[in-house]
Amino acid sequence: MQARQPQQRPETLPLPKEQLMEFYTHMLLIRRFEEMAAQMYARGRIGGFLHLYIGEEAVAVGSIAALETQDYIVTHYREHGHALARSMDPNRIMAELFGKATGTSGGKGGSMHLFDASRSFLGGYAIVGGMMPIATGLGLASSYLGEDRITLCYFGDGAVNQGEFHEALNLAAIWNLPVLFFLENNGYGMGTRVDRVCAVDEIHTHANIYGIPSRKIDGMDVLTVYEATKEAVEQVRSGKGPFFLEALTYRFRGHSMADPVEYRQRAEEEQWKARDPIDAFRTKLEGWGVLTEQEREAVEGRVDDIVDEAVRFAEDSPTPPPEALAQHLYAEKE
Amino acid sequence: MAEITYREAIRQALREALLADERVFLMGEDIGAYGGAYAVTKGFLAEFGEERIKDTPISESVIVGSGVGAAMGGIRPVVEIMTINFSLLAIDQIVNNAAKLHYMSGGQVKVPLIIRTVSGGGNQLAASHSQSLEHWFANVPGLKVAVPASPYDAKGLLRAAFQEPNPVIFVEHSLLYGLRGEVPDGDYSVPFGQADIKRPGKDVTIITYLRMVQVALQAAQQLAEEGVEAEVVDLRTLRPLDIETPVNSVKKTNRAVVVEETWRTGGFGGEIASEIQEKAFDYLDAPVARVAGKDVSMPYARNLELMAIPNQQDIVNAVKALI
Ligand SMILES: Cc1ncc(C[n+]2csc(CCOP(=O)(O)OP(=O)(O)O)c2C)c(N)n1
Ligand SMILES: [Mg+2]
């Protein structure tokens, strides 16, 4: 319960106030956006799988804030948070979830496949571990072209037992590629607790076997995530090769909307929920006098407006036209 | 015009591409220091250096997957999967990523990736090293599949593959590398989706691809000596598929034999036979016949292996049964 205690205002803030406010706003936006998405799912507006990131917001927001705009991001299917943290348009994300023509992929990718090439956000991938070889390839392209660009690759604890995980780490290491591997360890792959399926307790040490330095961090604290990612990004950008971060976190909801979460202890859930990354950060900001009650209400109002507008936009948007069915199967020659 | 081997034709197209475009690079198992399992890239490491001729670990999934990522990142990878049997370890990256990224991203992402690989049996390499799986990939929208049967087509199709903004599975046949044929000196390419009449004839149409084209041409020669004029149609690419050329041929000859090296059940021949009966039913004087590999795992023993792979006589017999 430590996070809830009022904090002493430090001599100097760890970051400029605007940045702290941005972290808070982004985390809250992800939370409210997904709560709304869950409602829309219940109302049948969203189909297929919907995997919520609720509880893990500090990871996406803290880490993506440490990137430059040109840096590539590839991630898994639980990626609304990453997309919003990358400032992708909430309207177009919601429209994608609704399967509308105005969605980020014109309605053809859905919740698990968000892309925004203009933000170097190169996809949510729904095959566990499948984005890891892609990340090494993006790193290879940047290094081949001599670009100042790193690739941030997110994956879950379920991916670390895949062959592709090990193949990708090894290749990134032998070719010294600018890739930051980012494990979001939320303790479970669907209903399977990580220690039941992974022979290694300290998962990040997998990386060390391939000579890749690693670090385990608290994924519930946005500032910790930001600082650690910033350091890791600097190291990767400086040409020292790949780095591996493991953030410990927890998803507060089920694996997907279909999951009644019968495999977890309530006490464990309560312990993690007491460390809610948004509550904890708000308490901190309030303690520091950075977030007044007025400002808090203003942020909440703004976020709610964005989310409401996203739903309105998605509702009002047309479904993809029939001719979209066969479109974009192949790229046209230039 | 020069007469060169199938291997040399592929090698020339690769070398030209490497010389023409700095973004082109090759990666795969043993393509550099070893020179390629089938010696296609021999000497490339010395000529182009390690940055562009990359030996990889034996990690098919990351070879293809990093090729996909590299292509998305703006360079022009040519990855080599030593044989098509090993593509099964990369099938996730080929089918779930390479084929789908353009579509799933609503056109935001392009994957101009060439995957070269080697198909076929006949070298007594037994069950896990003798398969013909190119039609598996032809099943997947989003991929293009080239299956050259001659040095001319190999070079021309590979050149066309370099113009493609899409993932191409470029399938070579292990028994064709030594095949010699005429290849023009100048610029040319063989567009995808254009079948080729390798031998004209009026009595029957033999439709096939990859090494079976050569076997079919020998069968046609034998048939000609017996007074039967077979037209041999080489599909050249399985996806996109030019069905017009074989259908028009069948409308002329009124008989069709479809030949393929892979297993009969679920093979590509069934697809072709079905298209022909749909599009040329009224022209057919006999049911469409199929000659295919036996539905068995490839045996090692030479006599059994020879029984499992379609041969010249099998084709001749199938033609005679129709006439
Ligand atoms: C290759 C593959 N196998 C199985 C699945 C089905 N599946 C989807 S998510 C998931 C659990 C993944 O857990 P983790 O990587 O920890 O990510 P999290 O859902 O916890 O964010 C499984 C088994 C899949 N999508 N891909
Ligand atoms: Mg997990």
Side-chain angles (χ1 to χ4, degrees):
Chain A
M1 287 289 152
Q2 210 151 23
R4 282 177 191 281
Q5 280 165 15
Q7 308 260 332
Q8 289 293 322
R9 179 172 188 143
E11 290 284 292
T12 50
L13 292 171
L15 293 169
K17 176 174 170 173
E18 308 77 70
Q19 200 170 3
L20 296 172
M21 289 299 284
E22 199 179 292
F23 285 3
Y24 182 66
T25 310
H26 262 136
M27 287 201 291
L28 195 66
L29 174 62
I30 295 170
R31 178 71 55 95
R32 295 282 165 88
F33 183 95
E34 288 204 318
E35 285 169 349
M36 180 61 86
Q39 279 187 42
M40 292 299 125
Y41 188 88
R43 283 193 216 162
R45 294 292 197 281
I46 297 172
F49 285 146
L50 184 70
H51 307 94
L52 302 182
Y53 195 63
I54 289 176
E56 308 186 33
E57 294 91 342
V59 181
V61 171
S63 54
I64 287 176
L67 293 185
E68 300 293 334
T69 48
Q70 76 272 18
D71 294 331
Y72 290 128
I73 298 172
V74 290
T75 180
H76 43 66
Y77 48 85
R78 193 183 299 287
E79 89 284 38
H80 311 144
H82 306 112
L84 290 166
R86 192 56 160 179
S87 299
M88 280 171 60
D89 182 355
N91 289 358
R92 299 197 58 203
I93 298 173
M94 191 65 87
E96 188 63 31
L97 306 193
F98 275 52
K100 295 297 183 74
T102 54
T104 43
S105 293
K108 297 205 292 193
S111 161
M112 303 195 287
H113 305 298
L114 300 177
F115 290 79
D116 185 347
S118 73
R119 287 182 171 74
S120 307
F121 192 91
L122 296 186
Y125 293 75
I127 303 296
V128 170
M131 79 299 280
M132 303 196 66
I134 303 263
T136 60
L138 289 166
L140 175 60
S142 310
S143 124
Y144 191 97
L145 294 169
E147 294 173 336
D148 172 26
R149 198 202 278 268
I150 75 149
T151 297
L152 175 50
C153 175
Y154 294 101
F155 49 94
D157 47 278
V160 305
N161 306 313
Q162 283 281 29
E164 291 186 321
F165 169 92
H166 294 273
E167 292 188 17
L169 257 59
N170 184 58
L171 199 79
I174 59 172
W175 289 353
N176 204 47
L177 301 176
V179 180
L180 174 52
F181 294 102
F182 202 119
L183 164 58
E184 296 185 313
N185 183 353
N186 60 10
Y188 292 82
M190 291 184 67
T192 305
R193 210 177 58 231
V194 59
D195 61 354
R196 294 176 55 215
V197 287
C198 188
V200 175
D201 290 333
E202 295 288 327
I203 301 183
H204 64 100
T205 62
H206 267 320
N208 308 154
I209 292 162
Y210 300 104
I212 301 174
S214 68
R215 191 173 158 195
K216 183 168 79 172
I217 58 172
D218 177 9
M220 302 308 265
D221 181 45
V222 67
L223 294 177
T224 303
V225 175
Y226 174 71
E227 291 300 341
T229 310
K230 207 159 165 310
E231 269 177 38
V233 165
E234 269 162 28
Q235 174 153 346
V236 173
R237 204 182 295 288
S238 73
K240 291 192 182 133
F243 196 91
F244 191 108
L245 280 176
E246 172 179 4
L248 297 184
T249 184
Y250 203 76
R251 64 170 155 72
F252 292 174
R253 303 290 185 96
H255 167 72
S256 69
M257 296 301 289
D259 173 17
V261 207
E262 283 164 354
Y263 44 83
R264 296 197 304 209
Q265 300 295 321
R266 293 298 162 251
E268 176 189 279
E269 291 182 352
E270 290 315 313
Q271 252 172 22
W272 280 96
K273 283 181 181 166
R275 302 197 56 226
D276 186 313
I278 300 177
D279 289 349
F281 193 54
R282 185 178 52 238
T283 309
K284 209 175 247 180
L285 294 182
E286 283 168 352
W288 292 344
V290 168
L291 186 71
T292 63
E293 192 175 334
Q294 225 174 5
E295 283 169 317
R296 182 168 64 78
E297 281 169 8
V299 169
E300 284 170 4
R302 225 170 38 243
V303 163
D304 287 341
D305 287 348
I306 293 172
V307 172
D308 290 343
E309 168 56 21
V311 169
R312 213 170 9 253
F313 177 82
E315 288 278 15
D316 292 348
S317 291
T319 51
E323 58 270 24
L325 179 64
Q327 199 187 13
H328 294 136
L329 208 45
Y330 294 98
E332 300 293 329
K333 284 182 190 163
E334 270 155 26
Chain B
M1 283 279 193
E3 204 187 77
I4 59 171
T5 61
Y6 186 86
R7 172 185 292 107
E8 180 60 19
I10 295 163
R11 180 190 165 69
Q12 284 182 5
L14 290 172
R15 193 168 165 274
E16 283 169 9
L18 282 160
L19 289 169
D21 184 352
E22 290 225 315
R23 295 172 316 143
V24 172
F25 72 102
L26 274 46
M27 62 176 162
E29 294 158 15
D30 284 309
I31 65 164
Y34 187 87
Y38 292 90
V40 173
T41 54
K42 204 168 182 139
F44 279 18
L45 179 61
E47 184 173 3
F48 297 102
E50 276 190 358
E51 275 303 295
R52 302 186 68 197
I53 309 298
K54 292 179 175 299
D55 279 323
T56 64
I58 305 164
S59 307
E60 283 77 12
S61 187
V62 82
I63 294 170
V64 173
S66 62
V68 174
M72 284 161 74
I75 50 178
R76 201 67 178 79
V78 182
V79 305
E80 179 174 319
I81 296 297
M82 196 180 277
T83 83
I84 204 161
N85 307 284
F86 317 143
S87 76
L88 301 190
L89 286 95
I91 206 154
D92 169 45
Q93 290 298 329
I94 299 171
V95 177
N96 284 320
N97 285 339
K100 296 188 172 45
L101 277 159
H102 188 64
Y103 194 83
M104 287 197 306
S105 68
Q108 294 187 68
V109 163
K110 282 184 199 169
V111 185
L113 169 68
I114 298 174
I115 302 172
R116 285 183 48 238
T117 191
V118 183
S119 184
N123 281 318
Q124 275 197 277
L125 298 180
S128 71
H129 276 58
S130 304
Q131 299 169 97
S132 298
L133 303 176
E134 46 280 358
H135 64 295
W136 288 23
F137 298 109
N139 185 229
V140 183
L143 298 178
K144 298 201 171 182
V145 180
V147 282
S150 68
Y152 177 92
D153 292 321
K155 187 168 182 183
L157 286 167
L158 191 46
R159 278 200 175 139
F162 277 105
Q163 305 306 315
E164 268 295 330
N166 294 293
V168 174
I169 316 284
F170 191 87
V171 185
E172 302 160 17
H173 195 292
S174 61
L175 295 185
L176 288 179
Y177 283 119
L179 178 75
R180 301 185 78 82
E182 297 266 300
V183 170
D185 300 320
D187 245 0
Y188 79 101
S189 66
V190 173
F192 284 18
Q194 271 185 26
D196 184 39
I197 297 176
K198 283 280 188 291
R199 177 189 174 112
K202 60 175 177 36
D203 299 325
V204 59
T205 302
I206 303 173
I207 303 146
T208 185
Y209 60 93
L210 214 58
R211 187 176 84 89
M212 285 298 132
V213 171
Q214 299 304 333
V215 181
L217 286 170
Q218 287 157 6
Q221 184 59 42
Q222 183 182 334
L223 286 162
E225 286 156 17
E226 301 176 30
V228 177
E229 291 302 327
E231 181 146 298
V232 177
V233 177
D234 174 6
L235 295 173
R236 296 204 291 197
T237 55
L238 300 185
R239 185 183 278 272
L241 176 65
D242 170 13
I243 199 66
E244 294 302 304
T245 301
V247 163
N248 289 337
S249 171
V250 172
K251 285 180 178 172
K252 183 178 75 178
T253 64
N254 313 112
R255 289 179 179 83
V257 177
V258 183
V259 183
E260 65 189 328
E261 184 170 331
T262 196
W263 304 296
R264 179 182 168 104
T265 305
F268 203 72
E271 174 72 23
I272 300 297
S274 174
E275 287 283 342
I276 288 170
Q277 69 83 17
E278 255 182 66
K279 297 192 164 78
F281 187 77
D282 291 337
Y283 295 83
L284 286 171
D285 286 346
V288 179
R290 283 195 284 159
V291 176
K294 296 287 183 307
D295 269 331
V296 297
S297 294
M298 190 63 77
Y300 163 72
R302 185 63 176 156
N303 65 322
L304 297 179
E305 181 184 50
L306 287 172
M307 287 167 66
I309 302 173
N311 60 34
Q312 183 177 332
Q313 197 55 48
D314 293 333
I315 300 173
V316 168
N317 293 346
V319 168
K320 284 187 178 165
L322 289 192
I323 290 176

